[in-house]
Amino acid sequence: MLAYALRRVLSTLPVMAIVALFVFSLLYIAPGDPAVVIAGDQASPADVERIRANLGLDQPFLVQFGSWVWRLLHFDLGTSIFTNLPVSAMIAQRIEPTLSLMMVTLVLTILIAVPLGVIAAWKAGTWIDRVIMAFAVFGFSVPVFVVGYILAYVFALKFDLLPVQGYTPLAQGFWPWLQNLILPAVALGCVYIALIARITRAAMLEVLQQDYIRTARAKGLGQGGILFIHALKNAAVPIVTVVGIGIALLIGGAVVTESVFAIPGLGRLTIDAILRRDYPVIQGIVLLFSFVYVLVNLLIDVTYTLVDPRIRY
Amino acid sequence: MTATTTTSPPPGLVVAPRLPDLMAAPKIRRGTIGFLRNHPTVAIGGALLLLLVIIGVFAPFLFTVDPTAIAPAKRTRLPSADFWFGTDALGRDIYSRVLYGTRVSLTVGLAVALAASLIGLSIGLVAGFVRWADGVLMRCMDGLMSIPPILLAVALMALTRGSVGNVILAITIAEIPRVARLVRGVVLSLREQPYVDGAVASGTRTPMVILRHILPNTMAPMLVQATYICASAMITEAILSFIGAGTPPTIPSWGNIMAEGRALWQVKPYIVFFPAAFLSVTVLAVNLVGDGLRDALDPRMAKSP
Amino acid sequence: MDRRTVLKGLAGAGGLALTGGFAAPAIAQGAAARTLRFVPQANLANFDPIWGTQYVVRNAAAMVWDTLYGIDDQFVPQRQMVESEEVSSDGLTWTFKLRPGLKFHDGTPVLAKDVVASLTRWSARDPMGLMLKALQNELTAVDDKTFKWVLKQPYPKMLFALGKGNAPCAFIMPERIAQTDPFKQMTEYVGSGPFKFVKGEWVPGAKAVFEKFTDYVPRQEKPVWLAGGKQVLVDRVEWVIMPDPATAAAALQNGEVDWWENPITDLVPVLKGNKNIGVDIGDPLGNVGAFRINHLHAPFNNVKARQAILMAMSQEDYMRALVGDDNSLWKPLPGFFTPGTPLYTEAGGEILKGKRDLVAAKKLLEEAGYKGEPITCVVAQDQPITKAFGDVTADLLKKLGMNVDFVATDWGTVGARRAQKTPPAQGGWHMFHTWHAGADCINPAAYNALRANGDKAWFGWPTSEPVETEITNWFNAKSLDEEKAVAARINKAAIDDVVFAPTGFFLGYTAWRKNVSGVTKGPIPLFWGVSKTA
């Protein structure tokens, strides 16, 4: 098990190397130029040229890439061209909001979607099932920013229940922290809730046909006990899988959600960095994303072995 | 053993979500009409899509005006008899823009689904059959998959310019790995089947094996996957245009109509509402078709009572 | 293991990651009433006001760094850090004396050597500074409080150069920081202005924090723009960056922020309807919209093609696309200088007035030899102003029967592409849009965009002998009447040769919660004199 995990971690290195090279080349051939953004509209072309030289952006591709990799091997992600802050520090500032948003979304999703899916499966074919599934298909079809605007309008402006924007660090208390995250998490979670509810229903339907559920039923276990203990446990593999796939979905959605709700997270940092051509920051973030993605997939594989003893590596 | 070299791929990374038919399908009917009657979701979704295609194709004849003609004197008008969906911040007719926008969304959705399926299919087949290429290809796919599609698209847009072609390219690149993994998984599991094994052992050439045994079995899951890709591509297009990295403003698309109206949602909500409603209905239609097809094509479902 | 263990494990991992992210410093509690939360026009992405010259950097820098002089609302430079100045009768030697009590945020006193180093770095980057540098014999510290600047030729605009609010401003920094290469970013943000920059709480793209500098000694005069006493009445100013204007509007309505620098016009009626919100014009000098045309390539290397654009363009369309229905927010601009300022003139501007003549414009295009070649128009989609201008231009070119190659991209790309002199088909361009703060267009001093010295001119590289001659005359002008006469000639020459096409003059609102008082009009948001009650 441990050896397997170790091998998996090692096998991610080439993946991340490919991502790094890919992103670096993409940025190198991209036409934008951070020097002109810095210099502003009053600067002369000669000024821009000198700023570019000072940033080392006039160096050939291999030299730039080489020095970046060299620093990376010393665990140095470099320094932002614009803010002059270390990239690692900028990412660290932004991780908490994004991670919080994702965690709350995930928890919210599981709290809503799994019971919905279980109920739909239990009541399969009835109107309850159809309403839930209709909601699920609909949730899939509405863009995240539309949901965000509607939520902000209703809950923040009309009824003044929750703040419209911003982020409060968890260190300042659980409720202030949660308050700022509820609306964005619901907006972001919509697609996700729809997806997980559908998967849960499908997996449960399959499991409910199995013999041991009939046995449990015959033994007189209560309906709830059967559903949530026996059946759900066995339906866990596909659910966990989709939770994992959804991480990529979440990262994408977070970019939009963070701008709509003005949350100072990684998504906004990424867009800002791309629009300004802050190369070291973009590279650092993409590397982080691919690392997280690989890590999540690893976690999921490990989770399989826990929820389903038949799977062994 | 790493997950990517196991003969059976890690569960779930490959399989599209499965869902039993929403409606009971008591009798098996034959023919296209029969198929649609057996699978009403496909029928409903298909009809909606057909309607949207008609709207897109015949947009110029559906009482529209030039969707790009600006008229700052008539800006932000409420929906009325003159402007059915109102006008936007530049005085352009939203009804016309939304109808023309249908073309962009459908083009993006279909083109991405088609391109991603074909390229993903080729890569998946190669990875499934050529052992030495498998590792390299799947590593690359892992890499691509780990970059969120939206970031990839924003970077590509910055690389060249905003255009429908680039939007398609960016979303396609992001979707290819999913198809490739699906196909590779199917290939690997089929290769274990006795009849494929037999065909290979009896000296049938690989292209023939692929043509006869592999492709027919890949079609069903791929078709289902393609509908989901189509739906998610349309949403992604909207999001890209929304953050200013998608379709250029000279071509009306639902995404950029919403992007232009977003700042005004508090005072002029209709600017966002109409394109959002069209987008939702379209995505809904594609999803209905996808769900229906999956139920119809998934052999496992055939067995369930 | 069972499901519960898995869930616990997951939750544990999440909790661990969360606590790991607690680097964010705690905000001082209970000081809400003394903290002013401000939504700026753009993100503060870097903070070296000499190295980077975006407007937003300048606005933040004016809180942290002080200047020797500051202009007032009549554009007259008034003493700020300086107590007295003296100029020799030949106009060549300037001697300045600093006022007492000046201190940097690190506690050290402001000395003449700090000023000398700061002016040296500034004069390597600023257009007026560069002129001074070219005329300079020596710039030295005489003693701790006195420094002198000896020139080869008189420079009548000396005090304006030192006090102007146009970026880069002549901000005074400690010598050790000012010694940074002017083309490299400095890493310490220590000034002697009324606010301290809290670097530890700076989250670029989200937040920037400024604290009152308690040792700051304001002047006794009434504050007017950058002149006079900078009295700070709050403990903290927090800049909250909001990428989405709809969110900023909602936050202001909800009382989550106190002051929004530039609300978009269409939302102003909602803000005005809220009894807790005050709205007024922010910067009375407004902005000048600019439609730049590349003078190097056909068809626009022919003046007739450029005139065709002036003849056909409707400034009203550009302005309405931007500011909406509010007529008090824009003015047609048949010229280049800021309306309402002394040098404003409409001399030669007839071509921009009256009914737009598409037929005559098409004929001019034909005479210029235009035969339907694609016209490359690069438009930044991430800036609302350039985006609106681009949409109108696309429509205009279509009406003119021109074949438009519309390159929709972001500001970073436009910035790089506009520097390309190659033909449009090979990575160059025909047209792009931008805008200049009205404060930069009050006279030719900081108005790079008006220069027409060919290769050395601003992007578009216009060449116009008459414009250049008159600009030199302006720098040597000794009276306002003389300046006005020169400005009229500059204006006419610049329109005749179409240095660029002005798209109009526009103003913007600013909005604040009513519990904030002291918000005044000015070329930049002014934080001194602003107070807040709970």
Side-chain angles (χ1 to χ4, degrees):
Chain A
M1 185 66 207
L2 196 68
Y4 164 71
L6 203 67
R7 267 197 306 271
R8 273 297 299 270
V9 171
L10 283 180
S11 77
T12 61
L13 289 179
V15 177
M16 294 182 59
I18 288 169
V19 171
L21 185 64
F22 177 73
V23 171
F24 205 94
S25 329
L26 201 67
L27 293 177
Y28 184 79
I29 47 177
D33 183 348
V36 294
V37 185
I38 291 160
D41 260 7
Q42 300 297 320
S44 71
D47 289 358
V48 172
E49 202 46 58
R50 284 196 58 181
I51 291 177
R52 188 181 299 123
N54 267 323
L55 293 170
L57 295 171
D58 53 348
Q59 302 279 317
F61 175 75
L62 280 177
V63 175
Q64 287 190 40
F65 186 64
S67 67
W68 183 67
V69 171
W70 180 248
R71 280 198 308 266
L72 200 63
L73 292 176
H74 295 80
F75 299 100
D76 177 6
L77 283 173
T79 308
S80 157
I81 291 176
F82 283 83
T83 63
N84 227 345
L85 299 173
V87 172
S88 48
M90 288 180 75
I91 290 179
Q93 280 179 331
R94 303 298 198 102
I95 273 188
E96 192 197 314
T98 300
L99 214 58
S100 303
L101 176 61
M102 288 191 174
M103 291 305 285
V104 174
T105 308
L106 209 62
V107 170
L108 202 74
T109 302
I110 292 171
L111 284 183
I112 297 176
V114 172
L116 277 182
V118 171
I119 293 168
W122 177 34
K123 299 278 181 195
T126 67
W127 65 269
I128 298 179
D129 177 29
R130 297 220 179 113
V131 167
I132 292 176
M133 283 304 106
F135 163 76
V137 179
F138 189 71
F140 219 81
S141 323
V142 186
V144 49
F145 48 84
V146 175
V147 184
Y149 283 153
I150 294 172
L151 288 175
Y153 188 73
V154 175
F155 291 97
L157 277 184
K158 280 285 152 215
F159 297 107
D160 198 14
L161 294 173
L162 293 163
V164 182
Q165 52 83 39
Y167 175 77
T168 315
L170 186 50
Q172 292 180 29
F174 180 74
W175 175 238
W177 170 80
L178 189 63
Q179 229 181 1
N180 266 320
L181 289 172
I182 293 177
L183 293 183
V186 173
L188 180 56
C190 239
V191 174
Y192 213 40
I193 291 172
L195 187 68
I196 308 275
R198 286 162 51 141
I199 302 302
T200 309
R201 177 183 179 276
M204 285 295 287
L205 270 183
E206 208 159 303
V207 173
L208 286 174
Q209 308 297 329
Q210 308 285 333
D211 291 341
Y212 62 90
I213 298 289
R214 299 206 184 116
T215 317
R217 215 170 271 187
K219 279 200 305 194
L221 260 180
Q223 196 63 265
I226 293 173
L227 280 176
F228 284 95
I229 296 174
H230 286 266
L232 190 56
K233 182 179 165 186
N234 286 285
V237 166
I239 298 174
V240 169
T241 304
V242 177
V243 169
I245 291 177
I247 295 289
L249 208 68
L250 275 185
I251 294 176
V255 172
V256 176
T257 318
E258 284 174 12
S259 355
V260 169
F261 290 98
I263 296 171
L266 280 175
R268 260 175 72 196
L269 181 64
T270 317
I271 297 290
D272 284 352
I274 290 178
L275 291 181
R276 263 185 274 129
R277 307 288 185 277
D278 201 338
Y279 300 140
V281 178
I282 306 174
Q283 285 144 5
I285 294 172
V286 172
L287 215 59
L288 175 79
F289 278 155
S290 56
F291 178 71
V292 168
Y293 177 83
V294 169
L295 198 72
V296 167
N297 272 311
L298 178 67
L299 267 179
I300 288 168
D301 285 354
V302 174
T303 315
Y304 290 145
T305 64
L306 301 181
V307 294
D308 188 347
R310 284 169 298 180
I311 299 175
R312 279 276 169 263
Y313 291 96
Chain B
M1 195 183 343
T2 65
T4 37
T5 50
T6 43
T7 38
S8 67
L13 287 178
V14 157
V15 209
R18 290 171 205 284
L19 172 70
D21 203 327
L22 295 183
M23 327 277 171
K27 282 178 279 182
I28 304 296
R29 301 189 182 87
R30 304 213 170 264
T32 315
I33 303 284
F35 176 83
L36 290 177
R37 284 183 66 187
N38 284 331
H39 301 281
T41 48
V42 180
I44 298 168
L48 276 174
L49 273 185
L50 189 67
L51 183 68
L52 285 158
V53 169
I54 291 171
I55 287 177
V57 172
F58 295 101
F61 310 106
L62 296 171
F63 310 102
T64 55
V65 295
D66 179 354
T68 57
I70 65 166
K74 295 180 200 155
R75 61 195 300 282
T76 60
R77 293 286 173 84
L78 287 169
S80 67
D82 288 337
F83 306 103
W84 293 353
F85 293 178
T87 61
D88 70 5
L90 290 172
R92 293 172 298 198
D93 179 39
I94 297 177
Y95 172 74
S96 308
R97 289 179 72 72
V98 168
L99 258 56
Y100 277 90
T102 312
R103 295 177 173 184
V104 173
S105 284
L106 290 178
T107 310
V108 169
L110 293 177
V112 169
L114 201 68
S117 302
L118 287 181
I119 301 170
L121 176 70
S122 325
I123 295 177
L125 285 177
V126 173
F129 272 93
V130 187
R131 286 206 177 269
W132 61 266
D134 187 29
V136 178
L137 281 176
M138 291 330 280
R139 285 284 84 80
C140 289
M141 293 296 110
D142 280 348
L144 269 188
M145 237 174 150
S146 72
I147 306 174
I150 290 185
L151 300 188
L152 194 64
V154 174
L156 276 178
M157 192 278 314
L159 184 66
T160 46
R161 63 163 81 180
S163 74
V164 178
N166 269 336
V167 170
I168 294 174
L169 181 69
I171 309 178
T172 304
I173 290 180
E175 295 286 356
I176 286 173
R178 281 168 246 281
V179 184
R181 288 188 130 174
L182 173 79
V183 174
R184 174 177 170 276
V186 174
V187 171
L188 288 182
S189 68
L190 284 175
R191 284 186 54 157
E192 303 289 301
Q193 301 290 323
Y195 65 95
V196 179
D197 229 21
V200 175
S202 66
T204 316
R205 288 174 44 227
T206 310
M208 275 316 268
V209 177
I210 292 178
L211 212 61
R212 266 197 210 146
H213 302 295
I214 308 288
L215 272 186
N217 286 300
T218 326
M219 275 307 144
M222 250 187 53
L223 192 61
V224 174
Q225 182 79 0
T227 59
Y228 292 121
I229 289 177
C230 178
S232 92
M234 289 194 276
I235 295 256
T236 311
E237 188 276 330
I239 289 178
L240 281 178
S241 300
F242 183 77
I243 57 178
T247 315
T250 40
I251 301 167
S253 87
W254 296 335
N256 60 33
I257 303 170
M258 286 189 278
E260 282 161 8
R262 68 188 282 197
L264 305 184
W265 66 270
Q266 225 194 92
V267 280
K268 314 278 177 192
Y270 56 87
I271 302 181
V272 174
F273 172 78
F274 287 108
F278 267 73
L279 177 63
S280 300
V281 168
T282 311
V283 173
L284 187 71
V286 175
N287 273 325
L288 285 177
V289 172
D291 284 358
L293 283 180
R294 187 184 51 205
D295 299 343
L297 299 175
D298 192 332
R300 286 212 301 183
M301 287 299 114
K303 277 183 279 169
S304 56
Chain C
M1 250 189 239
D2 64 13
R3 160 183 50 90
R4 266 164 303 175
T5 327
V6 173
L7 281 179
K8 255 189 243 159
L10 281 175
L16 197 71
L18 275 180
T19 40
F22 275 159
I27 293 169
Q29 297 282 326
R34 306 274 288 163
T35 298
L36 185 71
R37 293 158 305 175
F38 172 77
V39 182
Q41 52 168 301
N43 170 23
L44 183 68
N46 70 275
F47 201 33
D48 181 337
I50 306 296
W51 181 72
T53 59
Q54 302 102 315
Y55 292 134
V56 62
V57 179
R58 186 262 324 262
N59 295 354
M63 301 169 74
V64 174
W65 287 281
D66 216 345
T67 48
L68 297 168
Y69 292 82
I71 53 152
D72 63 12
D73 56 359
Q74 302 302 311
F75 311 106
V76 179
Q78 304 287 352
R79 291 170 192 156
Q80 185 53 260
M81 293 172 77
V82 160
E83 185 177 64
S84 63
E85 72 282 308
E86 205 183 306
V87 58
S88 61
S89 53
D90 57 4
L92 295 182
T93 305
W94 290 82
T95 312
F96 301 89
K97 203 166 158 48
L98 296 173
R99 70 181 165 100
L102 297 175
K103 222 185 248 182
F104 284 116
H105 301 155
D106 59 5
T108 55
V110 179
L111 303 177
K113 67 180 170 84
D114 299 312
V115 176
V116 168
S118 300
L119 291 179
T120 307
R121 185 166 189 251
W122 165 79
S123 64
R125 293 296 307 273
D126 182 69
M128 291 185 89
L130 285 164
M131 295 168 98
L132 272 164
K133 204 176 167 183
L135 301 176
Q136 173 178 324
N137 250 341
E138 59 166 348
L139 169 61
T140 47
V142 178
D143 57 39
D144 276 358
K145 289 286 159 198
T146 319
F147 67 97
K148 71 173 181 196
W149 209 334
V150 185
L151 307 176
K152 294 177 195 138
Q153 271 175 43
Y155 190 72
K157 305 275 186 295
M158 169 68 94
L159 300 186
F160 185 80
L162 297 178
K164 70 185 172 64
N166 320 96
C169 305
F171 291 121
I172 303 305
M173 308 169 176
E175 186 183 30
R176 63 170 194 284
I177 300 174
Q179 277 165 349
T180 314
D181 179 338
F183 292 91
K184 268 203 181 125
Q185 196 178 169
M186 62 197 200
T187 48
E188 250 189 296
Y189 309 107
V190 174
S192 64
F195 289 93
K196 285 190 290 189
F197 181 61
V198 189
K199 195 182 174 189
E201 290 189 50
W202 182 29
V203 184
K207 192 167 80 163
V209 178
F210 308 86
E211 265 172 9
K212 180 180 179 170
F213 177 47
T214 43
D215 285 348
Y216 183 77
V217 183
R219 297 186 72 92
Q220 294 307 308
E221 299 94 339
K222 200 171 134 307
V224 185
W225 289 11
L226 298 167
K230 301 173 180 175
Q231 285 277 4
V232 174
L233 304 174
V234 290
D235 293 338
R236 264 168 85 90
V237 175
E238 283 182 19
W239 280 29
V240 187
I241 286 97
M242 297 224 187
D244 191 326
T247 310
L252 187 71
Q253 286 168 277
N254 244 16
E256 292 170 35
V257 294
D258 304 310
W259 180 8
W260 181 13
E261 182 180 359
N262 60 337
I264 57 171
T265 323
D266 281 306
L267 295 178
V268 165
V270 184
L271 301 179
K272 278 183 172 164
N274 186 319
K275 63 180 184 336
N276 295 319
I277 294 176
V279 181
D280 198 359
I281 299 294
D283 174 3
L285 295 179
N287 300 277
V288 171
F291 173 177
R292 298 291 297 192
I293 301 168
N294 191 338
H295 288 232
L296 300 184
H297 301 293
F300 298 112
N301 54 3
N302 187 323
V303 68
K304 284 182 177 171
R306 302 196 297 271
Q307 283 166 345
I309 299 287
L310 288 192
M311 197 174 274
M313 71 189 281
S314 156
Q315 291 189 334
E316 181 176 352
D317 282 358
Y318 283 94
M319 292 296 102
R320 283 197 188 282
L322 190 62
V323 302
D325 304 323
D326 193 335
N327 283 329
S328 63
L329 283 184
W330 68 276
K331 282 195 180 94
L333 181 62
F336 296 90
F337 295 106
T338 312
T341 62
L343 299 192
Y344 178 70
T345 169
E346 299 186 3
E350 289 72 27
I351 192 169
L352 281 160
K353 295 178 183 170
K355 206 171 149 29
R356 307 288 75 204
D357 193 342
L358 284 174
V359 180
K362 278 185 187 165
K363 195 158 161 287
L364 270 181
L365 272 180
E366 208 173 294
E367 286 168 25
Y370 179 67
K371 292 192 184 61
E373 302 90 335
I375 299 299
T376 307
C377 182
V378 283
V379 179
Q381 298 295 304
D382 53 340
Q383 306 280 339
I385 297 176
T386 54
K387 182 180 177 342
F389 287 175
D391 287 337
V392 178
T393 294
D395 187 61
L396 170 73
L397 298 181
K398 205 166 81 179
K399 282 188 202 144
L400 276 174
M402 300 187 94
N403 177 7
V404 195
D405 178 22
F406 194 91
V407 182
T409 178
D410 59 14
W411 187 243
T413 307
V414 172
R417 186 153 180 180
R418 70 182 182 185
Q420 301 297 320
K421 290 183 180 169
T422 48
Q426 295 159 33
W429 54 278
H430 276 113
M431 34 183 74
F432 75 91
H433 307 84
T434 185
W435 74 98
H436 310 290
D440 290 347
C441 307
I442 53 171
N443 62 38
Y447 206 163
N448 270 357
L450 193 59
R451 300 297 297 269
N453 44 348
D455 260 5
K456 286 202 217 89
W458 210 59
F459 308 103
W461 309 283
T463 305
S464 171
E465 200 105 351
V467 172
E468 279 299 298
T469 317
E470 297 298 343
I471 289 180
T472 313
N473 288 342
W474 178 83
F475 275 105
N476 295 319
K478 298 204 172 50
S479 72
L480 185 60
D481 284 339
E482 200 185 330
E483 285 189 32
K484 281 181 176 171
V486 176
R489 294 199 296 272
I490 294 177
N491 203 61
K492 179 163 190 328
I495 285 183
D496 287 347
D497 281 328
V498 199
V499 169
F500 69 90
T503 57
F505 171 75
F506 56 97
L507 293 157
Y509 280 112
T510 195
W512 62 92
R513 303 279 303 176
K514 289 260 175 76
N515 59 344
V516 172
S517 52
V519 174
T520 53
K521 289 180 189 177
I524 67 171
L526 301 164
F527 293 90
W528 37 90
V530 175
S531 62
K532 183 185 168 189
T533 54

